[in-house]
């Protein structure tokens, strides 16, 4: 009955919106006519066709959206503390934010990429990179939680990351800000030659998804901006755009924009993998954290790794080449068949496209135009496939559809341009609002793109939504790309700053999504399996509360014998085994976040009572009709009190 | 008579399906349970639609002070019913076989059916009595106490057959696959009797 009312309510809102808009249809900004509204309208209770995993940028988190509706379903905490659930605050998850620099509460999440099998997205995991303190994380798509974070040593500005090879053999992380290698106390002016850019190839275990750095390719001190794997015919290669081949260390906006051409670095990782398998490279001291979360123990662990294998590119002849590419290329995008390598030269008037077969031929013919730090530079004309003439200003990123077309974003002219592979002809252009960065087509960087929708993620919002003061969320626009011309069909805000997104057909992911954690599989050391196991244990000034939750009470809910100066650990197990029945926990005066505990899960928070009295705690999640009654009291006595520890539930 | 006996054997053998399929189904519908919530009543115990349905029904029922759903060992019916149904099926097959080889008359088919019907009605009475107790014998300290307009306590008894609104839930009861096979089987034994009756007349 309520659902029905809600449905009618939403319907009438929808009609009100669409009517209002069609009256203003003369407006210039992509008027929303009824057929467009129908295209993005997902009726109440219906599901979207696609999941979109949109980067949260400086929020440090990953956002889950539905397409075509543009509705947000979840914010997955990855690199930032998240008091909503207790991620990064709870005893179990603090380890996930550990690094060689210690605990870091925040991160800058950039490029989500979905795991692939045979060059097609498979919906097992999403990999994301942290740009500031270089890390790669893996999000599990059964639980939609962060399950692994690995720090990347010898790197800074972890930006040309976290893209996967076509069978998820590797997730790759490149260095944007080259740094001295090994790190040392030298003058910044000594940049040239002393600074290096590490390209890290992180091996992914196909069973568990576990990550381990296989090798770091120690490249010249350029800025490795973005990257993508070869696929199909070019599988086994990885391509990285570079800028600042001038190797400037100051005023880069001028000094790194002088060379007429920078490079795309082509790396034959299969060759280097073989070299490493035969004992090549050198294990060097390093310090980097490897954090893992276990869904049976519900506990995260942090391990500090002590060495990493370094490979010098000149030691593996034939493995690394430079493709000259005009003017500080940003995006580095590979066509679905693996034939074309698009360099989005952001200061160039034209788009440069290299050909993989021509590159191989140029290598065989040794068509070199010199070398840089021992790495051969291929002749520009020998690798060039074609040029898209005057497409716009400030090209950043390209994705592909399933009909032989490419779609490139132009930051400065604020538009998406559709052009054809092979003929290099421009087919269409549509404005974005405003200054687009990345764009996403589901599967648009795989062998099998799904050419139905494309969405552009913008850097500037201005007047797109109701004003909310100076600080705005960013805007995204969704286009229907199934026809000859792109059609703007919807506009929705995104959270944080979306740098790239990965989208996938919902039926590859939805059936695997878990509803609960099984209590009989809970191996948390402080878990209780039933209310009979609840207890309170004192160990000096530390008190462990083994507490349970079930609708609508905590057990125990009265505790006496806690003293000022104690450190109390609340280990709370949610005994529910019903879908979508979480319980929350918060304690007055707690210098910590709340906990949100899923059915079958155990989480731990701490409280250090600082004054005498009787203090309440309560359930923060409206769990049931008697949620308001889900509360308890703790008596705090003076430090020298001799009141015995006691706990109870339901004793008057 | 051979046709009648064969139908008798098939009809009584159909009772054995109750060892695989549930006798009865009780389904609970509420907006918060879009996937449904409910239980299958088997001869030897209860089974939730999903693994945790029984636990979740108990969880909900604690608010209104209902007893928890019985485990197999907590009700004598769950050990006696399989013996009765199994015994009757074997008895029916034997009766059919004896009819087939001409040792007994078709009247025995009817005797079997009468006995089975009596046992079935007794079973229904027992089941109904249990549901009445389950739905009205409530914890006096129940969190939610509902009374009828005349002041008598509200009964949460699910219907024996059909649907009934119980607070936010609609409870729907109907025969399970096993229950349907049981009905068809008993109907077949009656057909067997009729066929036997006609054959004898000729």
């Amino acid at each position: 009955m309520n659902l029905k009312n809600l449905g009618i309510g939403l319907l009438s809102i929808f009609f009100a919106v669409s009517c209002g808009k069609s009256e203003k249809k003369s407006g210039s900004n992509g008027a929303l006519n009824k057929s467009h509204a129908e295209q993005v309208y997902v009726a109440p209770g219906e599901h979207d066709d696609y999941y979109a995993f949109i980067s949260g940028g400086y929020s440090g988190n990953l956002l889950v959206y539905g397409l075509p509706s543009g509705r947000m379903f979840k914010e997955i905490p990855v690199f930032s503390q998240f008091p909503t659930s207790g991620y990064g605050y709870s005893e179990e998850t603090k380890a996930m934010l550990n690094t060689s620099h210690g605990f870091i509460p925040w991160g800058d999440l950039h490029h989500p990429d979905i795991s692939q099998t045979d060059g097609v997205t498979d919906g097992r995991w999403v990999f994301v990179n942290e740009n500031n303190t270089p890390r790669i994380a893996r999000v599990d798509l059964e639980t939609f939680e962060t399950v692994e974070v690995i720090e990347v040593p010898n790197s800074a500005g972890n930006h040309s990351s976290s893209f996967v090879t076509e069978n998820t053999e590797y997730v790759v992380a490149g260095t944007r800000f080259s740094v001295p290698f090994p790190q040392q106390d030298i003058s910044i002016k000594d940049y040239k030659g002393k600074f290096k850019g590490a390209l890290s190839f992180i091996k992914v275990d196909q069973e568990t998804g576990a990550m381990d750095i296989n090798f770091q390719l120690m490249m010249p001190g350029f800025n490795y901006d973005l990257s993508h794997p070869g696929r199909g015919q070019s599988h086994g290669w990885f391509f990285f755009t570079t800028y600042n081949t001038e190797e400037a260390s100051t005023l880069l906006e001028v000094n790194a924009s002088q060379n007429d051409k920078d490079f795309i670095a082509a790396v034959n990782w299969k060759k280097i993998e073989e070299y490493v398998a035969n004992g090549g490279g050198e294990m060097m001291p390093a310090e980097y954290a490897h954090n893992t979360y276990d869904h049976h123990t519900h506990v995260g662990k942090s391990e500090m790794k002590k060495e990493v294998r370094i490979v010098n590119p000149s030691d593996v002849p034939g493995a690394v080449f430079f493709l000259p590419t005009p003017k500080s290329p940003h995006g580095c995008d590979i066509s679905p068949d693996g034939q074309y390598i698009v360099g989005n030269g952001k200061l160039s008037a034209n788009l440069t496209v290299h050909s993989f077969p021509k590159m191989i031929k140029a290598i065989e013919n040794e068509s070199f135009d010199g070398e840089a730090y021992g790495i051969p530079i291929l002749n520009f004309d020998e690798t060039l496939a074609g040029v898209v003439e005057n497409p716009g200003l400030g090209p950043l990123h390209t994705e592909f559809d399933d009909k032989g077309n490419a779609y490139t974003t132009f930051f400065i002219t604020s538009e998406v341009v559709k052009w054809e592979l092979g003929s290099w002809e421009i087919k269409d252009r549509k404005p974005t609002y405003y200054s687009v960065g990345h764009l996403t087509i589901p599967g648009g960087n795989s062998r099998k793109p799904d050419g139905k929708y494309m969405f552009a993620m913008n850097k500037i919002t201005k007047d797109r939504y109701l004003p909310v003061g100076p600080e705005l969320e960013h805007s995204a626009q969704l286009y229907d790309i199934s026809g000859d011309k792109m059609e703007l069909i919807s506009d929705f805000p995104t959270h944080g700053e979306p740098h790239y997104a990965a989208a996938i057909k919902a039926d590859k992911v939805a059936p695997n999504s878990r509803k609960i954690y099984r209590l009989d599989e809970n191996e948390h050391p402080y878990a209780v399996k039933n209310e009979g196991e609840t207890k309170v244990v004192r160990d000096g000034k530390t008190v462990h509360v083994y507490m349970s939750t079930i609708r609508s009470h905590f057990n125990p809910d009265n505790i006496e014998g806690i003293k000022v100066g104690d450190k109390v650990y609340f280990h709370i197990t949610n005994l529910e085994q019903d879908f979508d029945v979480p319980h929350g926990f918060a304690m007055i005066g707690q210098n910590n976040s709340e906990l949100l505990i899923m059915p079958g899960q155990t989480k731990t928070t701490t409280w250090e009572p600082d004054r005498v009295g009787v203090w309440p705690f309560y359930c923060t999640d409206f769990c049931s009709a008697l949620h308001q009654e889900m509360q308890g009291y703790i008596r705090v006595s003076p430090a020298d009190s001799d009141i015995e520890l006691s706990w109870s539930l339901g004793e008057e | 008579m051979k046709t009648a006996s064969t139908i008798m054997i098939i009809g009584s053998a159909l009772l054995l399906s109750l060892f695989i399929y549930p006798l009865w189904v009780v389904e609970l519908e509420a907006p918060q349970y879009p996937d449904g919530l409910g239980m299958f009543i088997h001869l030897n115990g209860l089974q939730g639609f999903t693994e945790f349905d029984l636990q979740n029904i108990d969880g909900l029922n604690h608010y209104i002070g209902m007893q928890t759903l019985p485990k197999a060992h907590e009700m004598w019916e769950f050990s006696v019913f399989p013996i009765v149904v199994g015994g009757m099926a074997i008895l029916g097959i034997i009766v059919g076989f004896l009819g087939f080889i001409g040792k007994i008359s078709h009247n025995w088919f009817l005797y079997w059916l009468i006995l089975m019907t009596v046992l079935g009605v007794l079973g229904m009475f027992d089941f109904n009595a249990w549901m009445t107790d389950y739905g009205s014998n409530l914890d006096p300290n129940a969190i939610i106490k509902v009374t009828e307009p005349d002041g008598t306590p509200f009964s949460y008894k699910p219907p024996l057959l059909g649907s009934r609104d119980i607070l936010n839930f609609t409870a729907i009861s109907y025969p399970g696959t096993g229950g349907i096979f049981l009905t068809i089987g008993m109907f077949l034994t009656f057909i067997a009797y009729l066929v036997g009756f006609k054959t004898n007349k000729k």
Side-chain angles (χ1 to χ4, degrees):
Chain A
M1 195 62 188
N2 285 342
L3 241 166
K4 226 183 239 171
N5 286 339
L6 184 69
I8 291 163
L10 283 178
L11 259 172
S12 49
I13 289 168
F14 160 69
F15 280 122
V17 168
S18 57
C19 290
K21 277 281 180 181
S22 54
E23 276 163 25
K24 286 193 282 179
K25 207 186 161 186
S26 52
S28 58
N29 293 356
L32 196 65
N33 70 33
K34 202 178 170 210
S35 67
H36 290 162
E38 279 169 356
Q39 275 180 282
V40 297
Y41 179 64
V42 177
E46 299 288 307
H47 287 175
D48 279 283
D49 296 333
Y50 296 90
Y51 282 98
F53 297 94
I54 304 183
S55 139
Y58 38 61
S59 80
N61 297 339
L62 181 66
L63 286 304
V64 187
Y65 279 73
L67 296 178
S69 73
R71 299 181 294 187
M72 186 188 122
F73 303 140
K74 186 175 184 179
E75 179 170 8
I76 303 173
V78 183
F79 297 116
S80 291
Q81 282 184 301
F82 196 61
T84 306
S85 64
Y87 180 86
Y89 291 94
S90 73
E91 293 303 300
E92 292 82 4
T93 53
K94 284 196 290 195
M96 299 307 285
L97 301 181
N98 193 35
T99 72
S100 61
H101 304 276
F103 177 87
I104 295 184
W106 169 91
D108 184 11
L109 185 151
H110 274 244
H111 308 126
D113 204 18
I114 298 167
S115 56
Q116 296 190 4
T117 303
D118 295 330
V120 179
T121 55
D122 60 24
R124 289 180 290 170
W125 309 297
V126 177
F127 295 91
V128 289
N129 58 315
E130 206 277 278
N131 191 57
N132 182 49
T133 302
R135 282 169 283 172
I136 300 288
R138 181 168 57 89
V139 172
D140 185 293
L141 290 188
E142 278 184 26
T143 59
F144 289 71
E145 299 286 347
T146 305
V147 290
E148 189 175 8
V149 178
I150 190 163
E151 193 178 355
V152 183
N154 303 318
S155 181
N158 176 34
H159 196 265
S160 39
S161 319
S162 43
F163 302 104
V164 298
T165 54
E166 74 169 22
N167 290 304
T168 323
E169 294 98 337
Y170 288 96
V171 53
V172 174
T175 297
R176 183 165 132 220
F177 310 135
S178 286
V179 285
F181 175 76
Q183 270 293 3
Q184 55 201 288
D185 176 19
I186 57 172
S187 169
I188 300 167
K189 293 188 175 63
D190 293 339
Y191 188 108
K192 279 190 190 181
K194 292 264 174 72
F195 283 43
K196 297 284 180 195
L199 306 180
S200 307
F201 285 74
I202 303 167
K203 191 95 189 146
V204 178
D205 185 287
Q206 293 308 299
E207 285 299 308
T208 63
M211 300 185 285
D212 186 27
I213 300 176
N214 191 19
F215 59 88
Q216 289 193 304
L217 188 62
M218 206 47 75
M219 295 285 283
F222 310 150
N223 292 29
Y224 297 84
D225 203 9
L226 276 156
S227 67
H228 265 113
R231 52 182 66 102
Q233 57 183 281
S234 52
H235 178 55
W237 289 77
F238 222 96
F239 303 93
F240 300 81
T241 47
T242 69
Y243 65 101
N244 193 24
T245 51
E246 296 87 349
E247 296 183 71
S249 59
T250 182
L251 196 62
L252 264 66
E253 63 171 322
V254 175
N255 295 330
S257 305
Q258 297 306 308
N259 284 354
D260 184 43
K261 292 190 177 69
D262 295 282
F263 301 125
I264 286 177
V267 175
N268 186 336
W269 58 261
K270 278 223 164 142
K271 195 161 211 159
I272 301 173
E273 184 181 56
E274 202 183 304
Y275 168 76
V276 165
N278 292 324
E282 190 186 351
M283 289 307 271
M284 305 266 287
E287 198 184 13
Y288 57 105
H290 184 208
N291 311 329
T292 51
Y293 184 84
D294 184 309
H295 275 301
H296 290 292
T297 61
H298 301 282
V299 174
K301 285 204 165 74
S302 182
E303 178 199 357
M304 209 55 75
K305 297 246 187 179
K306 294 293 178 195
E307 54 178 13
V308 69
R309 184 180 302 273
I310 302 294
V311 173
N312 185 344
S314 54
D315 291 344
V316 196
V320 186
F321 298 91
F322 285 134
L323 286 72
T325 305
K327 306 295 316 178
S328 304
H330 187 60
C332 181
D333 300 294
I334 316 300
S335 61
D337 60 4
Q339 184 181 355
Y340 297 117
I341 304 144
V342 181
N344 303 265
K346 59 184 186 281
L347 304 175
S348 167
N350 302 326
L351 268 181
T352 306
V353 185
H354 297 283
S355 155
F356 178 75
K358 286 182 82 173
M359 181 193 97
I360 294 297
K361 214 167 171 193
I363 293 168
E364 282 166 4
N365 297 339
E366 299 192 350
S367 307
F368 301 147
D369 275 350
E371 58 169 44
Y373 294 98
I375 296 167
I377 300 169
L378 295 169
N379 178 281
F380 177 69
D381 295 319
E382 295 297 318
T383 63
L384 188 70
V387 170
V388 183
E389 301 276 358
N390 297 312
L393 295 177
L396 291 184
H397 302 281
T398 301
E399 294 249 311
F400 306 90
D401 69 12
D402 48 357
K403 298 185 256 322
N405 299 303
Y407 300 75
T408 302
T409 55
F410 290 83
F411 178 81
I412 297 171
T413 46
S414 189
E415 59 188 339
V416 177
V417 173
K418 174 182 177 181
W419 51 278
E420 190 178 50
L421 289 161
S423 74
W424 322 117
E425 272 173 29
I426 292 170
K427 299 279 181 186
D428 189 24
R429 58 176 67 239
K430 281 288 180 308
T432 63
Y433 308 93
Y434 304 93
S435 294
V436 59
H438 278 271
L439 80 170
T440 295
I441 292 171
N445 70 349
S446 75
R447 276 206 219 176
K448 287 210 174 101
D450 208 343
K452 193 171 177 192
Y453 300 114
M454 175 270 292
F455 61 100
M457 289 157 277
N458 300 284
K459 302 301 184 190
I460 295 171
T461 309
K462 303 269 191 191
D463 63 346
R464 292 306 286 179
Y465 311 117
L466 284 173
V468 288
E471 189 180 329
L472 309 173
E473 293 284 32
H474 291 212
S475 85
Q477 278 96 39
L478 179 71
Y479 300 80
D480 177 350
I481 56 165
S482 55
D484 289 341
K485 301 286 178 191
M486 298 177 270
E487 277 193 87
L488 174 60
I489 53 176
S490 178
D491 188 319
F492 59 94
T494 52
H495 184 57
E497 180 178 349
H499 305 267
Y500 201 44
I504 184 169
K505 202 97 171 103
D507 57 21
K508 289 192 195 175
V509 176
N512 305 326
S513 177
R514 276 209 220 175
K515 293 188 167 176
I516 57 165
Y517 297 104
R518 294 184 65 100
L519 195 59
D520 57 12
E521 290 177 357
N522 182 330
E523 292 164 15
H524 192 291
Y526 291 96
V528 293
K529 297 300 181 79
N530 57 63
E531 296 199 72
E533 293 178 6
T534 59
K535 61 185 174 181
V536 182
V537 178
R538 176 179 283 285
D539 175 17
K541 282 187 162 300
T542 301
V543 178
H544 291 280
V545 180
Y546 297 67
M547 190 182 272
S548 69
T549 63
I550 195 153
R551 282 164 288 176
S552 306
H553 60 265
F554 292 99
N555 191 351
D557 68 357
N558 280 192
I559 301 173
E560 299 204 1
I562 303 293
K563 298 171 196 172
V564 170
D566 281 349
K567 183 165 188 179
V568 182
Y569 288 82
F570 296 99
H571 307 286
I572 303 175
T573 303
N574 184 350
L575 298 178
E576 306 277 0
Q577 293 285 269
D578 196 358
F579 185 30
D580 200 17
V581 189
H583 290 291
F585 176 87
M587 180 79 221
I588 190 171
Q590 184 187 6
N591 299 103
N592 209 334
S593 86
E594 70 145 345
L595 295 177
L596 198 61
I597 311 134
M598 296 306 121
Q601 196 176 35
T602 304
K603 284 187 180 178
T604 304
T605 189
T606 55
W607 175 52
E608 293 175 63
D610 63 347
R611 60 195 83 166
V612 166
V614 177
W615 307 103
F617 58 88
Y618 74 105
C619 174
T620 53
D621 184 296
F622 204 111
C623 57
S624 58
L626 295 163
H627 156 75
Q628 294 297 82
E629 283 75 5
M630 193 162 170
Q631 63 170 68
Y633 285 107
I634 297 182
R635 175 181 175 183
V636 177
S637 306
D640 57 358
S641 152
D642 52 10
I643 290 180
E644 285 288 306
L645 199 60
S646 66
W647 61 93
S648 62
L649 167 73
E651 288 172 18
E652 289 291 339
Chain B
M1 189 59 187
K2 290 210 162 155
T3 315
S5 303
T6 309
I7 297 171
M8 180 66 202
I9 291 169
I10 293 170
S12 39
L14 277 177
L15 263 64
L16 296 172
S17 67
L18 281 168
F19 286 91
I20 306 166
Y21 301 111
L23 176 66
W24 221 254
V25 184
V26 181
E27 201 176 315
L28 297 168
E29 286 182 354
Q32 297 90 336
Y33 288 87
D35 295 337
L37 185 67
M39 59 180 143
F40 299 113
I41 300 169
H42 286 269
L43 279 189
N44 60 348
L46 303 178
Q47 190 198 1
F49 284 3
T50 69
E51 189 183 351
F52 297 109
D53 273 18
L54 297 182
Q55 180 181 332
N56 292 330
I57 291 169
D58 282 341
L60 294 167
N61 287 349
H62 100 278
Y63 288 113
I64 46 179
M66 286 171 90
Q67 306 153 62
T68 56
L69 291 164
K71 303 273 182 294
H73 63 85
E74 289 169 347
M75 265 174 81
W76 61 266
E77 285 90 338
F78 291 134
S79 41
V80 171
F81 279 18
I83 296 169
V84 172
V85 171
M88 282 306 289
I90 290 163
L91 190 63
I93 292 167
I94 291 171
V95 166
F97 179 73
L98 292 176
F100 193 86
I101 57 174
K103 294 271 180 199
I104 56 172
S105 84
H106 62 275
N107 286 335
W108 283 90
F109 300 171
L110 188 63
Y111 303 152
W112 181 91
L113 179 60
I114 291 167
L115 178 60
M116 187 63 212
T117 307
V118 168
L119 288 171
V121 168
L122 283 175
M124 295 279 246
F125 264 107
D126 182 69
F127 180 48
N128 197 54
W130 169 71
M131 284 210 296
T132 306
D133 178 65
Y134 179 67
S136 54
N137 182 8
L138 306 172
D139 182 346
N141 294 322
I143 296 164
I144 301 170
K145 293 192 193 78
V146 185
T147 50
E148 297 286 2
D150 66 3
T152 56
F154 184 81
S155 166
Y156 298 97
K157 176 182 174 289
L160 193 59
L161 182 69
S163 86
R164 180 174 175 235
D165 288 340
I166 305 172
L167 302 188
N168 59 323
F169 280 95
T170 302
I172 306 162
S173 300
Y174 51 91
T177 314
I180 291 168
F181 278 130
L182 167 71
T183 313
I184 295 171
M186 284 172 69
F187 184 68
L188 281 180
T189 60
F190 185 61
I191 299 285
Y193 165 71
L194 287 183
V195 172
F197 184 74
K198 275 192 177 171
T199 326
N200 260 19
K201 254 185 158 182
K202 276 177 194 171

